[in-house]
Each structure stands twice: as C-alpha cells, then as structure tokens.
Amino acid sequence: MPDTVSSGSHVALQEQAAPRGAGPILAALILAAVVCKLNIAAGPVALPAIGEVFGSSQAMLNLVSIGAPFGLAMSVLYFGALADRYGRKQVLTIGLVLIVVASALSALAPTIELLILARVFTGLAAGMVFPTTLALITALWADGAGRKKAIALWGAVAGMASIAGAVVAGAVLAFLPWSASFLTSIPLALIAILIIVRSVPSHVKESEEPVDHLGGVLSTLGIAALVLSIGFCFAPGGTAVGVVLLIAAVVVLGLFAWRQVHAKNPLYDLRIAKQRMFWAPAISGFIVFGSLSGAVFVSVQFMQNVLQYSALQAGLAVLPAALGLLIAAPFAARILVSKGTRSTMLLGYILLALAYITMLLWREDVPYWLIAVGFILIGAAVSLVSTASSSALTSATPVNRVGMASGTTDLQNDLGASIMQSLLGAVLATGFATATAALISDSARASDVTNDMMLALQSSFAAAAHVATQNPDAADHILEGARQALIYGSFSAFLLGAGAVVLGFIVVIFAVPSHAKERGAVADNQAHAS
C-alpha cells in the first residue's frame, strides 16, 4: 500500500504526464465519483413512491430530492480545504465510509423528516468524496492533454452515472420498496475503498498552510441558508421564511467574503476567484449543471404522473442523456484543446437551449422520441460544458490550492443542482397549486370540496391521488385535474430553466475569453495567485 510520498517523489510526480499505476488510480477515483452520483440520482426517481408512502406535500418531496446535492454544496469548499491540508486520500476514504452509513440511514428512515436529514447527511459525506477525486486527478496528472483527457473521462463517466442512477433506481423500485433504491451504491463504495487504499498515494502536492476554519463554517452556513431561502421564497406559503433565510444568507456570505479578504490563509482565495478564467467558467457550469438537475427532477415526475410511466420506464426514458454524454465525450477534450474553453461552452449551451425547447413542447400526448431527443441534447451539452469548466478552473489554480478549484467545480454542480431544483421545484409546486385551484373553482362540484380537500389537492400529485382513492365517484376527474395542473407547473418550471440557459449563454459570450486570450489569462492567474 503506498505511503506518504517524499519530496523527491513529489518532483518526480510533477514531471510525469501521469502517475505510476495511472489506470487503477483513475478507475478508483472515477468509481468514487460514480458512488456519489448514483446516490444523488436515486432521490428524484423514488419521489412518487415516497410521496405515496408518507403522504408528503410537494415541498417535502422537493427537500428529499435536493437533500443530497444540498449537503454536498454546503460542504465542498470547507472539505476541499481540509483535504488539501490534511490528506486527500484520507478525506476521500472517510467520506466513502460515511456514504455507506448515510445510505443505510436513508433506507431505514421511518418518517419523511428523518429521510430528509439522512439525505443531507449523504450529501455531506459526498462533499468529502466528489471534489477530492478531481483534486487528486489534478495533483497526479501534469497539466496538458493528459490531464484534460482524464478530466473528460472523469466528467463523462460521472455524468453517465447520474443518468444510470435513475435507471438503476427505477429497476429496483419495480420489485422492491422505495428504501432499496438508496442501497444500490453501497457495494460500489466498498470496492472503491479497497482500490483507493491499495493504489492512491497518501500525500501528493498538498498545502502546508493552516485551514481557515471560521471561513469554512461561514461558507457552509451561508450556502445552506441561500439554497433553503430559494426553495421557501417560491413555495406556497413560505415567502416569509424564505425572505428571512435570504437575508441571513446575504449577511453570512458577506461575512465570509470579508473574512476571505482579511484572513492570512483564506479558505477561498478571492485573488484567484476574481480572474475571468475562474469565475466565468464557474458561473457557466453552475447554470448548466443546475439546468440538467432541474430538468431531470421535473421530467421524472412529469413522466410518472402525467404520462403514467412506471419508475423503471421513467428511469429508462432518461437513458438517452447517457447516450449524449457518450457521443460527446470523445469530442469534448479535442474541441477544448483545439478551440478553447469559450467555443466548447458555447456549443454546449446551444445544445442545452435546443433541449429546453423540446421540453417546452411536452404535453400529455408527447411522443417518446421528443423526450429522447431532449435528453440526448442535455447529455451532450453537459459533457461539453463540464469538461471545459473543470479544465479551466483547475488550470487557473495553483496545484497546492487545487481543492479550491475542485470544490468550485463540485459547487457549481451541486449548488446549481440544489438551487435549480429548489427553484424549479417551488415553481412546479406553485404552478400545480394555482392550476388546481383554478380547475376546482371552474368545476361544477366546487361546492363539494372542503378546505382540507383543497389543501390536499394543492399539496402534490401524490396527495391528490390519495384524495382520489377516498372519493371513488370523482376519482377520474381528480386525477385528470391533477395531471393538467402538473403539466402547467412543469411548463412553468421548464420556461424558467430556459431563461437560465439564455443567461448562461450571455455570460459565456461576454465573459469567457477567446482561445487566443485564454492561454495568457491562465498564465496571469497563476502569476497573481503565486
């Protein structure tokens, strides 16, 4: 088992294009990333089954879905800094062990509230794992084509795992209860632990600077408040709580920024982050990853509740996104090397815009080929943008602070996922409630609907289905009304996602430098950060 690498070995590693034993090391790091993505992907597919068992509102189901990406987003910056300082291999191994524990707790949760907490715990554990895998790739592979190819493979496989996770969860739910869907990643986590312990070097190019623990706490609390505020602000009846959380987020994140400017060893070096080749790709990636997660979150519920797909069918319906990733992956690194970050991202954004156009056309009679085309385009877009963004962030950051770059890469992924799922989920819930109220008021039997029934019908599709079982004479009308309400809510959510894509496209055009200027910008970033 490899032990601490000596300083001489550090130099040797730095001069190599790839580390000794590159194959097993890269396989182990990709497998660890896959574990995180499988765990996160299980949530949205299981939502209808969870809602049926617990009778949960759409707001509670939203929290189940965003729990894991939320926990990951709030912790990646702090955990990335801890890994940079105290050992990436050690933090990675501990995180995988905790994922096993968190997965078991999710499966055993007796209430929806405890399930939400277990999913947040899963995300916190993943926050120790996912950013550390990219940090190790950056530390072990020298900058250049070799690193870009390793990052492209890492990103493509992790992205496909997000899609495969939906299929696996759907297959499990076809035969087993919802709880089993959270156990599928445990065997892979155990295998990853064994390979990492045997193959990955213990300490390579790590920081010797003290960790800014206060900054870590402030970043964790600030991001948590920000994500929750968005979910509450747009959810029915949650505006007051959302505003309070938003104010708290602004204050805490403001204190975090002040701390980073004045701290001797900041957790998040703003000298690096303010450079165009850092913040512009970060924002662009944030929007793309968020758009992907939001689209999957809404579409899986649309397919199961409106199109009446089974959980397995809904999981398989998302599979074309993996095909898009697979098709685009070989080209992503080539386009990045030959055309640069800006061109690669623009192509990805064009494909993502086309995907959202197809989703805006979805109705109760939508043919499957239109769904498949949308997901193929999403997969290809994410492959292009994730490769370009991850490469830009790591190239713009000194290797001893690469945890900051990998943390930002994961932050754009999971903060984007958390915020867009919160936002689109809240819009879905509001649209569903609004459309349901309108349908009821226009109904000839509006006088028969009690206040309790009204609240249940507006809560979620699962709650409306429960009301339908209690009122068999009106069951068909209730379910059809719920489907129409969900179509309206889904359209509203997809429209919002399309607007976010337009915003990201503008950022890429005006903020990401051309290929000719990119090389000089990266060199300047390194000079300013050193």
Side-chain angles (χ1 to χ4, degrees), residues 372-437:
V373 167
F375 280 117
I376 288 175
L377 292 170
I378 286 178
V382 169
S383 180
L384 289 162
V385 175
S386 66
T387 299
S389 178
S390 299
S391 178
L393 292 174
T394 53
S395 296
T397 308
V399 72
N400 67 326
R401 296 300 305 274
V402 75
M404 174 181 167
S406 59
T408 302
T409 298
D410 205 47
L411 187 65
Q412 69 181 9
N413 188 332
D414 293 285
L415 182 59
S418 299
I419 288 180
M420 288 297 286
Q421 282 191 33
S422 293
L423 193 55
L424 268 64
V427 170
L428 174 63
T430 301
F432 181 85
T434 301
T436 299

Side-chain angles (χ1 to χ4, degrees), residues 35-217:
V35 167
C36 298
K37 293 301 180 181
L38 285 177
N39 231 314
I40 292 173
V45 178
L47 287 184
I50 294 170
E52 183 178 351
V53 170
F54 293 115
S56 305
S57 67
Q58 187 64 50
M60 296 298 281
L61 293 177
N62 292 348
L63 290 175
V64 171
S65 181
I66 71 168
F70 167 64
L72 207 163
M74 64 190 283
S75 63
V76 288
L77 293 181
Y78 193 18
F79 289 166
L82 292 174
D84 275 351
R85 177 63 182 86
Y86 298 112
R88 300 183 184 111
K89 176 180 178 178
Q90 290 73 13
V91 171
L92 175 61
T93 306
I94 293 171
L96 285 168
V97 171
L98 292 178
I99 281 180
V100 172
V101 175
S103 300
L105 290 175
S106 297
L108 296 173
T111 65
I112 190 72
E113 291 81 9
L114 290 177
L115 175 58
I116 292 169
L117 291 176
R119 295 299 290 162
V120 174
F121 179 30
T122 302
L124 292 172
M128 304 176 73
V129 175
F130 197 72
T132 309
T133 59
L134 179 58
L136 280 165
I137 290 174
T138 307
L140 292 167
W141 272 260
D143 195 9
R147 183 193 286 178
K148 286 181 171 61
K149 290 178 181 178
I151 291 174
L153 183 60
W154 169 85
V157 175
M160 285 189 286
S162 298
I163 308 305
V167 179
V168 171
V172 169
L173 290 169
F175 303 99
L176 297 171
W178 65 267
S179 56
S181 64
F182 295 119
L183 300 175
T184 55
S185 66
I186 289 180
L188 295 179
L190 296 175
I191 294 172
I193 291 170
L194 292 176
I195 301 176
I196 288 166
V197 168
R198 292 180 60 85
S199 303
V200 177
S202 293
H203 297 283
V204 180
K205 305 174 188 172
E206 291 165 355
S207 173
E208 296 182 356
E209 297 178 352
V211 176
D212 178 20
H213 295 291
L214 177 58
V217 172

Side-chain angles (χ1 to χ4, degrees), residues 248-515:
V250 171
V251 171
V252 175
L253 290 175
L255 290 173
F256 171 71
W258 179 88
R259 170 69 179 176
Q260 300 317 290
V261 171
H262 294 89
K264 182 178 180 182
N265 299 295
L267 178 79
Y268 201 78
D269 195 334
L270 297 181
R271 294 176 302 169
I272 300 171
K274 72 179 182 180
Q275 304 298 322
R276 286 175 63 193
M277 278 310 297
F278 193 97
W279 67 263
I283 292 176
S284 304
F286 168 90
I287 293 173
V288 166
F289 285 120
S291 298
L292 168 66
S293 299
V296 171
F297 170 70
V298 175
S299 63
V300 166
Q301 295 184 72
F302 179 92
M303 288 185 288
Q304 291 190 63
N305 295 325
V306 175
L307 303 182
Q308 300 183 50
Y309 286 12
S310 68
L312 177 57
Q313 289 173 325
L316 290 172
V318 181
L319 200 56
L323 178 61
L325 280 162
L326 194 63
I327 293 172
F331 301 100
R334 297 178 194 172
I335 297 173
L336 180 61
V337 172
S338 62
K339 302 295 184 180
T341 299
R342 182 183 182 187
S343 296
T344 308
M345 283 189 160
L346 286 176
L347 178 57
Y349 263 97
I350 290 172
L351 296 178
L352 188 60
L354 292 174
Y356 264 95
I357 290 174
T358 67
M359 288 184 286
L360 288 170
L361 300 175
W362 291 5
R363 297 294 184 272
E364 64 268 33
D365 57 350
V366 60
Y368 175 67
W369 68 264
L370 190 60
I371 295 175
V373 167
F375 280 117
I376 288 175
L377 292 170
I378 286 178
V382 169
S383 180
L384 289 162
V385 175
S386 66
T387 299
S389 178
S390 299
S391 178
L393 292 174
T394 53
S395 296
T397 308
V399 72
N400 67 326
R401 296 300 305 274
V402 75
M404 174 181 167
S406 59
T408 302
T409 298
D410 205 47
L411 187 65
Q412 69 181 9
N413 188 332
D414 293 285
L415 182 59
S418 299
I419 288 180
M420 288 297 286
Q421 282 191 33
S422 293
L423 193 55
L424 268 64
V427 170
L428 174 63
T430 301
F432 181 85
T434 301
T436 299
L439 288 169
I440 291 174
S441 65
D442 293 339
S443 172
R445 302 182 61 176
S447 60
D448 297 334
V449 179
T450 65
N451 288 335
D452 289 342
M453 287 179 63
M454 173 69 86
L455 292 174
L457 290 170
Q458 290 182 289
S459 177
S460 68
F461 190 94
H466 183 66
V467 173
T469 61
Q470 296 176 330
N471 297 269
D473 293 342
D476 291 341
H477 294 289
I478 292 173
L479 290 176
E480 179 58 26
R483 290 190 189 98
Q484 293 300 321
L486 193 62
I487 290 171
Y488 175 81
S490 299
F491 179 84
S492 300
F494 288 143
L495 188 63
L496 180 64
V501 172
V502 173
L503 177 62
F505 191 84
I506 293 172
V507 171
V508 174
I509 289 178
F510 291 102
V512 179
S514 65
H515 190 32

